[in-house]
Amino acid sequence: MCTPDQASQSARDPAEATITLSINGVACAGFANETILSCARRYDVYIPTLCELEDIDHAPGACRVCLVEILQAGKDTPQIVTACNTPVRDGMEVQTRSKKARDMQRLQVELLMADHLQDCATCIRHGSCELQDLAQFVGLQQNRFFDRERTEARPVDQSSPAMVRDMRRCVRCQRCVAICRYHQKIDALAIEGSGLERMVALRDADGYPNSVCVSCGQCVLVCPTGALGERDETDRALDYICDPDVVTVVQFAPAVRVAFGEEFGLPAGTNVEGQIIAACRKLGVDVVLDTNFAADVVIMEEGAELLARLKQGRRPTFTSCCPAWINFAEIHYPDVLPLLSSTKSPQQVLSTIAKSYLPEQIGVPAERIRVISIMPCIAKKDEAVRPQMVHDGQPETDLVLTTREFARLLRREGIDLKDLPSSQFDRPFLSAYSGAGAIFGTTGGVMEAAVRTIYALVNGRELDRIELTQLRGFEGLREAVVDLGGPVGEVKVAMVHGLGDTRRLVESVLSGQANYDFIEVMACPGGCVDGGGSLRSKKQYLPLALKRRETIYNVDRAAKVRQSHNNPQVQALYRELLQAPNSEIAHRLLHTHYASRKRELQHTVKEIWDDLTMSTILY
């Protein structure tokens, strides 16, 4: 699994840099097996790249943009090579900006653009596209080779309720294939075809519904262009907001408030909760609620469910808040489904309450309410249309906007978040939250929140030390033994994030090798703060995870109430509607079920060989 501090982890002793070379006439020292690109970056020399992505260790040399001119010791003739996969050598002279290198870079970018749909102004990546940046860098002023008919004939897959795969904009960088195969271990994407017909395809499937994709969206985060993206629903959101007969209810997730401000020039990790509320009001939203409130409700339900299972000797229990994890379980490991908590995710819990409890509170018929969720997650779109979440043709959640879509919506309406004064939620309706609800947005947070409440339920008093640091960290898999006291005693818990580590954990559980009572799973590395629907960072995968994570923990520390069961609005909800955790009405409204959708990839030896050999083809 990728970590957000790759640079610090890869720091090496300068004394080990024993290879002498020059870059643009400046003497440099390189490490054994270090690439020209890596060495140039250490000396603050810029070389343009497109397919390469350092923090997932991806440098296929496919785009041919990082071209430099080198003269090797003992040679009379300079060479043009790709900097991302050419190692440094003693005596090498590297020129990154020679006339020949610049001319060839420009030609290569022109060829890439010629194979790319020329509609930048209408693309969702306009202004935030790595290919556009390259065109500016090389000074591209013409495109002599564009074949519109050929490009527009490429497939656009809109079979998913969550994602769009547009091969008219693909540059074959293979980042998406790498992140899906080697980091998430799903292997839903493959490179197929050759020459001009080469493209990213769904492996062994003609559309998302029959593929092994789980909609985690990590491929979207690494895509440098608009070839992969969320299904845009900003127009539909505006239709709801502007309809006088519709009462729009907006909820936004714990992670959104700490992973959104940078889009508008604020420091990474800034808590913009109040500004998001103000922006929703300026858009014309009728009621603004907080998914954090529903996270507290989820803890009440899931905690009671876990205690009941422990008494029955049923173990382990897996959390069920992450929809990509649910997809993963249904598609890849349906045998684990009986171990999943039946509690709905916070998004679905709040949407259900907004259409059952809220109408009476605000005096509006339930049929007039439309719930819009703002989520750092592409899989939430998929979750909202699950058959289990639709009743009599009416979905619990009507519409999901990713963080990126919400940013586009605000820009369309001329709203600059950093200029807005902070506003408050529509109290006292479904908006108060505890610190426990806030930390749902990062890996380990669900587990920590659950332990706080379960301990109180078992012992009738609060934990002495509220922050359980043993449950925090960024390792792919963490384990801890927590003493819940009373008749429960010690329980063994595990937290896992990233589907590569999740696969290993699930297999160890099913084989009987793992021994846990409670397991939290987040499909996205880092949890929701780095969800597939969050803001993208050029040239990097997860550069802001730790800053966002720290702000979430600060929200918890600043909260007046830090345990879900002490949230007064949650207490009121149970008094006035739900009666008690896991009651009949709570189970009817807030719990669900899952079903096997098992699919297996089956590759012939020829297909595996073609995949291996085609990965070395250059364009």
Side-chain angles (χ1 to χ4, degrees), residues 336-406:
V336 85
L337 293 178
L339 303 177
L340 268 61
S341 165
S342 65
T343 306
K344 294 177 183 175
S345 73
Q347 169 180 278
Q348 297 306 126
V349 164
L350 190 56
S351 295
T352 299
I353 295 171
K355 290 186 175 181
S356 57
Y357 177 72
L358 183 64
E360 184 177 340
Q361 304 300 310
I362 62 176
V364 172
E367 57 268 21
R368 289 185 56 199
I369 289 179
R370 297 293 181 271
V371 179
I372 301 173
S373 295
I374 303 170
M375 295 285 147
C377 176
I378 284 180
K380 287 292 181 184
K381 290 175 176 283
D382 182 78
E383 178 182 59
V385 299
R386 291 178 66 91
Q388 299 96 318
M389 308 301 175
V390 179
H391 312 285
D392 300 323
Q394 295 301 313
E396 295 168 353
T397 304
D398 295 280
L399 175 66
V400 177
L401 296 179
T402 63
T403 309
R404 295 188 293 268
E405 288 171 277
F406 187 53

Side-chain angles (χ1 to χ4, degrees), residues 290-304 343-346 349-350 353 430 432-434 436-437 440 453 564-565 567 569-571 573-574 578 581-582 586 589-591:
D290 198 336
T291 314
N292 282 5
F293 166 84
D296 281 334
V297 177
V298 166
I299 287 300
M300 300 299 293
E301 293 298 314
E302 201 165 71
T343 306
K344 294 177 183 175
S345 73
V349 164
L350 190 56
I353 295 171
L430 315 180
Y433 61 88
S434 72
F440 258 60
T453 286
S564 299
H565 55 279
N567 183 336
Q569 289 188 15
V570 169
Q571 294 170 349
L573 178 67
Y574 278 96
L578 299 177
N582 270 339
L589 292 176
L590 307 183
H591 291 250

Side-chain angles (χ1 to χ4, degrees), residues 322-592:
C322 172
W325 150 239
I326 298 299
N327 289 339
F328 179 80
E330 289 185 329
I331 293 170
H332 294 263
Y333 294 99
D335 289 346
V336 85
L337 293 178
L339 303 177
L340 268 61
S341 165
S342 65
T343 306
K344 294 177 183 175
S345 73
Q347 169 180 278
Q348 297 306 126
V349 164
L350 190 56
S351 295
T352 299
I353 295 171
K355 290 186 175 181
S356 57
Y357 177 72
L358 183 64
E360 184 177 340
Q361 304 300 310
I362 62 176
V364 172
E367 57 268 21
R368 289 185 56 199
I369 289 179
R370 297 293 181 271
V371 179
I372 301 173
S373 295
I374 303 170
M375 295 285 147
C377 176
I378 284 180
K380 287 292 181 184
K381 290 175 176 283
D382 182 78
E383 178 182 59
V385 299
R386 291 178 66 91
Q388 299 96 318
M389 308 301 175
V390 179
H391 312 285
D392 300 323
Q394 295 301 313
E396 295 168 353
T397 304
D398 295 280
L399 175 66
V400 177
L401 296 179
T402 63
T403 309
R404 295 188 293 268
E405 288 171 277
F406 187 53
R408 291 198 294 273
L409 181 58
L410 296 191
R411 294 196 183 282
R412 285 181 61 175
E413 295 297 300
I415 298 174
D416 191 336
L417 196 80
K418 69 177 182 297
D419 295 335
L420 294 177
S422 181
S423 187
Q424 299 293 318
F425 283 106
D426 295 289
R427 302 184 187 280
F429 302 121
L430 315 180
S431 56
Y433 61 88
S434 72
I439 59 177
F440 258 60
T442 187
T443 176
V446 177
M447 181 68 68
E448 184 171 343
V451 167
R452 293 180 188 181
T453 286
I454 294 171
Y455 183 91
L457 292 176
V458 171
N459 298 280
R461 59 183 176 84
E462 308 299 343
L463 265 171
D464 294 330
R465 188 165 57 89
I466 196 76
E467 294 187 13
L468 302 174
T469 54
Q470 70 268 38
L471 303 183
R472 302 182 180 186
F474 217 90
E475 305 86 4
L477 172 64
R478 280 154 290 141
E479 301 176 341
V481 175
V482 180
D483 187 358
L484 293 179
V488 177
E490 289 187 341
V491 294
K492 189 175 182 182
V493 301
M495 290 72 59
V496 63
H497 60 133
L499 290 175
D501 287 306
T502 298
R503 182 180 293 276
R504 286 188 286 272
L505 176 62
V506 169
E507 289 181 353
S508 67
V509 168
L510 292 177
S511 67
Q513 296 176 340
N515 179 31
Y516 300 110
D517 296 291
F518 196 26
I519 302 172
E520 176 200 309
V521 180
M522 291 288 183
C524 298
C528 302
V529 292
D530 295 297
S534 58
L535 302 175
R536 301 197 238 199
S537 299
K538 293 180 183 178
K539 304 294 184 185
Q540 291 178 292
Y541 177 35
L542 304 177
L544 306 176
L546 296 184
K547 291 182 180 178
R548 294 169 176 174
R549 182 184 176 96
E550 183 57 31
T551 304
I552 277 195
Y553 284 132
N554 287 336
V555 171
D556 172 36
R557 294 184 187 110
K560 294 180 180 179
V561 174
R562 301 186 67 183
Q563 303 94 346
S564 299
H565 55 279
N566 289 331
N567 183 336
Q569 289 188 15
V570 169
Q571 294 170 349
L573 178 67
Y574 278 96
R575 282 196 310 269
E576 298 172 12
L577 178 68
L578 299 177
Q579 300 171 2
N582 270 339
S583 66
E584 186 279 329
I585 187 171
H587 212 273
R588 176 164 49 85
L589 292 176
L590 307 183
H591 291 250
T592 187

Side-chain angles (χ1 to χ4, degrees), residues 121-259:
T122 58
C123 177
I124 61 170
R125 291 300 298 272
H126 181 59
S128 182
C129 172
E130 294 180 38
L131 184 58
Q132 274 186 335
D133 291 346
L134 275 176
Q136 293 293 314
F137 175 82
V138 301
L140 190 66
Q141 297 179 345
Q142 60 181 338
N143 194 337
R144 295 165 291 174
F145 313 116
F146 178 48
D147 185 341
R148 180 175 295 277
E149 184 176 356
R150 176 185 291 275
T151 302
E152 290 186 341
R154 292 204 175 96
V156 180
D157 185 353
Q158 301 191 60
S159 60
S160 166
M163 299 173 58
V164 175
R165 183 174 55 88
D166 188 347
M167 291 300 96
R168 301 171 302 174
R169 296 184 171 91
C170 179
V171 292
R172 308 178 182 94
C173 68
Q174 303 177 46
R175 289 183 187 178
C176 57
V177 176
I179 201 72
C180 186
R181 176 180 300 169
Y182 300 118
H183 296 271
Q184 292 293 73
K185 305 290 186 183
I186 300 297
D187 205 19
L189 299 173
I191 297 288
E192 295 182 356
S194 60
L196 292 175
E197 303 308 318
R198 192 157 163 79
M199 66 187 72
V200 175
L202 291 169
R203 186 182 295 279
D204 296 346
D206 56 8
Y208 281 99
N210 58 358
S211 80
V212 295
C213 174
V214 300
S215 301
C216 71
Q218 297 302 294
C219 58
V220 178
L221 287 184
V222 299
C223 179
T225 67
L228 292 171
E230 65 281 351
R231 179 180 287 277
D232 190 283
E233 296 185 279
T234 50
D235 273 323
R236 189 169 156 226
L238 278 174
D239 288 342
Y240 283 147
I241 293 169
C242 298
D243 188 338
D245 295 324
V246 167
V247 175
T248 49
V249 173
V250 164
Q251 59 165 307
F252 62 94
V256 173
R257 72 207 70 211
V258 301

